[in-house]
Amino acid sequence: MSPAPDPSLPAWLRAHRTSMGLRQSEISDATREHGGPRAHITQSYLSRLEAGTRTLHALTPARQDALRRALDISASEWVARTSLPLLGPSPGDDVLSTLELVRVPVRALATAGLPVTEDTASIIDHELVPARDHRPGMLVLEVNGDSMTTEAGGIRPGDRIYIDPGDLDLREGRIYVLHMPGLGLAVKRLRRFGAALWLTSDNPDHPPVKPEEVTVVGRVYYHQPQGQRL
């Protein structure tokens, strides 16, 4: 008998989508891109998945895999959270890329200073990153504040985030790690209010800020919840 679906899965799916700054319709389009017409999941069905009125277990394996890829969820986290098996690689896939792991140093999200790849003193651990999730020059930071925590979970203290330092173009709704003089490093979501760009927190207890000067470290492209690491 299959295990009962985890009741926290709807919030987990929603948290992944919102952390990417994407709408349900955009994730729906991405499932078609990753898996073709047979793996396409409609926006209305995604809405039911996030509401908990439909379960992941009811999807075909192809749709499960397309959704995992559209939400940029690693194979290890997917299996740990859903207890669902992975879809085997397609004939054209690079099998090694699904198996290889890259050892990346983890640094604490400090209150001052930029994360420097050559600074070995700041390393607190190492993360085994699946090859498909690895990006050149990527940073892995461990969060130590609650500004991005939400009722559904969000990015919590102790969670790890993957940062792409090559993605520096600021886009509405996306999450970035930034350095502000006098304030240090912060994880913030970019929002536009009128003609101005503001750095906002997902936790409503933290007000938005509009610093005079900011250095973009990179975009957060993956969130590894505490307790769900390799």
Side-chain angles (χ1 to χ4, degrees):
M1 179 180 294
S2 300
D6 184 342
S8 69
L9 287 181
W12 174 67
L13 292 173
R14 184 168 57 254
H16 264 286
R17 177 178 61 78
T18 56
S19 73
M20 298 172 72
L22 298 177
R23 299 185 297 273
Q24 289 177 347
S25 59
E26 292 172 304
I27 295 296
S28 174
D29 292 341
T31 61
R32 185 190 297 274
E33 294 173 7
H34 285 291
R38 292 188 177 182
H40 177 233
I41 303 174
T42 64
Q43 185 274 328
S44 61
Y45 199 94
L46 281 172
S47 179
R48 295 187 186 101
L49 286 174
E50 291 189 2
T53 59
R54 292 291 186 274
T55 68
L56 286 172
H57 295 65
L59 294 172
T60 64
R63 288 193 171 101
Q64 292 171 7
D65 186 68
L67 180 60
R68 178 182 72 82
R69 293 175 183 273
L71 291 172
D72 206 15
I73 298 173
S74 70
S76 60
E77 184 183 359
W78 179 266
V79 173
R81 289 302 301 266
T82 68
S83 300
L84 293 168
L86 292 174
L87 182 69
S90 301
D93 286 348
D94 180 359
V95 177
L96 286 179
S97 69
T98 67
L99 301 177
E100 288 181 347
L101 299 173
V102 182
R103 193 167 182 259
V104 179
V106 179
R107 293 173 170 83
L109 188 60
T111 57
L114 290 167
V116 181
T117 55
E118 293 81 9
D119 178 17
T120 57
S122 67
I123 297 174
I124 60 173
D125 198 0
H126 285 83
E127 182 91 357
L128 295 178
V129 179
R132 66 174 296 271
D133 296 326
H134 184 267
R135 299 189 183 182
M138 70 174 290
L139 295 165
V140 178
L141 300 182
E142 186 164 293
V143 177
N144 61 4
D146 67 351
S147 68
M148 298 301 287
T149 300
T150 66
E151 290 185 0
I155 301 176
R156 299 161 296 181
D159 287 358
R160 294 178 179 182
I161 51 177
Y162 297 179
I163 297 95
D164 184 353
D167 191 346
L168 303 178
D169 295 330
L170 297 178
R171 284 164 285 173
E172 162 76 19
R174 297 300 178 96
I175 299 175
Y176 297 86
V177 172
L178 312 106
H179 181 266
M180 293 173 280
L183 297 176
L185 287 174
V187 183
K188 297 295 177 185
R189 189 182 299 278
L190 186 73
R191 291 296 186 195
R192 184 181 296 276
F193 298 109
L197 292 175
W198 287 73
L199 305 179
T200 67
S201 301
D202 288 353
N203 185 339
D205 292 336
H206 294 257
V209 295
K210 187 177 182 294
E212 295 294 327
E213 181 182 347
V214 66
T215 300
V216 182
V217 176
R219 184 176 70 84
V220 177
Y221 70 91
Y222 185 73
H223 167 217
Q224 186 81 304
Q226 188 176 24
Q228 299 295 331
R229 308 186 188 113
L230 289 174

